[in-house]
Amino acid sequence: MIGRLNHVGIATPSIDDAVRVYADLYGATVSRAKFALPEQGVWVAFIDLANSQIELIEPYGDASPVWGFLKKFPNGGQHHICFEVPDIIAARDALRAKGATVLGTGEPRMGAHGVPVIFVHPKDTGGVLVELMTEPSGH
Amino acid sequence: MIGRLNHVGIATPSIDDAVRVYADLYGATVSRAKFALPEQGVWVAFIDLANSQIELIEPYGDASPVWGFLKKFPNGGQHHICFEVPDIIAARDALRAKGATVLGTGEPRMGAHGVPVIFVHPKDTGGVLVELMTEPSGH
């Protein structure tokens, strides 16, 4: 069912600081500069890797779901992994049929890549928060 | 400096159970079955993705560094991310020159892919444990 590892999601109290770290220590560069994704409650920036991406996320607004994560891990840390799927609705329905918990209403929301995404509860995948996103066109 | 995202390292109390989850829920298959890496104190298995891998790690032996992680996260979770570098010694020296902390003695050790690896302290990379590994030949 799953295709590419689209990105590793990393929460940070400051995207600006994190971008500097990845540039200075690892020579990695931003492929998409910081932008707001209010419907997900996050600021987002992408760092390019040869075969995948790092998605840096920072809380946007008081209701951001990332605040809870940063309360536990004030310096940030690995937040989720994101796999591409060909059909997000089919993926959601298959997961539910197998007893997995899709977060929120289960209706796909627009993600940072402009395609629909869902999140699967960490309890279903050994403590790992999994994002599934529709394969971007052009792959 | 860094090249491909070689893998996302995920700690689990049971590789066997985790493999079943990734197969059943996500249709992902093992590319390398569970094997011991005593020098790192881990059992390891790799799950194939189209462009990268998931490395499942389970404690091997009483002194495994993964026990501490599982004490905090009994169901497992995201443990590290691993980037490929062309020259592990040059990478280590450059990181140290920038003030980063390379774990252990800093001498590269043999990793799960049979190439030398080092680990960079999470405090240097926003709470993320970073593994650097020599690019496998044949890339």
Side-chain angles (χ1 to χ4, degrees):
Chain A
M1 179 171 95
I2 56 171
R4 295 176 73 255
L5 176 70
N6 184 275
H7 62 262
V8 178
I10 291 176
T12 171
S14 164
I15 283 178
D16 293 342
D17 289 350
V19 163
R20 271 192 291 274
V21 165
Y22 281 91
D24 292 351
L25 279 188
Y26 301 110
T29 51
V30 167
S31 58
R32 190 167 174 201
K34 184 176 167 180
F35 64 101
L37 200 63
E39 58 268 44
Q40 304 273 9
V42 288
W43 291 97
V44 182
F46 285 100
I47 286 179
D48 249 355
L49 304 170
N51 58 329
S52 191
Q53 290 184 308
I54 290 171
E55 181 188 61
L56 296 169
I57 55 175
E58 176 188 322
Y60 177 99
D62 293 341
S64 174
V66 182
W67 286 120
F69 185 90
L70 290 179
K71 196 168 173 184
K72 280 190 277 189
F73 309 102
N75 298 321
Q78 288 189 71
H79 182 269
H80 66 272
I81 50 178
C82 176
F83 303 121
E84 297 175 6
V85 293
D87 182 332
I88 195 82
I89 299 294
R92 177 198 66 186
D93 293 348
L95 283 161
R96 283 182 165 167
K98 288 169 184 164
T101 299
V102 177
L103 297 188
T105 64
E107 283 311 298
R109 294 195 301 172
M110 207 50 77
H113 291 83
V115 294
V117 306
I118 59 171
F119 285 88
V120 185
H121 197 290
K123 72 179 167 58
D124 294 315
T125 317
V128 176
L129 176 61
V130 171
E131 179 180 8
L132 298 180
M133 65 178 269
T134 306
E135 283 174 4
S137 58
H139 266 194
Chain B
M1 178 172 93
I2 56 170
R4 296 176 71 256
L5 175 69
N6 184 274
H7 62 263
V8 178
I10 291 177
T12 172
S14 164
I15 283 178
D16 293 341
D17 289 351
V19 163
R20 269 191 292 273
V21 165
Y22 282 92
D24 291 352
L25 279 188
Y26 301 110
T29 51
V30 167
S31 59
R32 190 167 175 201
K34 184 176 167 180
F35 63 101
L37 200 63
E39 59 266 46
Q40 305 272 10
V42 287
W43 292 96
V44 182
F46 286 100
I47 286 179
D48 250 356
L49 304 169
N51 59 329
S52 191
Q53 289 184 309
I54 290 172
E55 181 187 63
L56 296 169
I57 55 175
E58 176 187 323
Y60 177 98
D62 293 342
S64 173
V66 183
W67 285 121
F69 185 90
L70 290 179
K71 196 168 173 183
K72 279 189 276 190
F73 309 102
N75 298 321
Q78 291 187 72
H79 183 269
H80 66 272
I81 52 178
C82 177
F83 303 122
E84 297 176 5
V85 294
D87 182 331
I88 195 81
I89 298 296
R92 178 199 64 189
D93 293 347
L95 283 161
R96 282 181 165 167
K98 289 168 184 162
T101 299
V102 177
L103 297 186
T105 63
E107 282 312 297
R109 294 195 299 173
M110 206 50 74
H113 290 84
V115 295
V117 305
I118 60 171
F119 286 87
V120 185
H121 197 290
K123 72 178 166 59
D124 295 315
T125 318
V128 176
L129 176 60
V130 171
E131 179 180 6
L132 297 180
M133 65 178 269
T134 307
E135 283 174 3
S137 57
H139 267 195

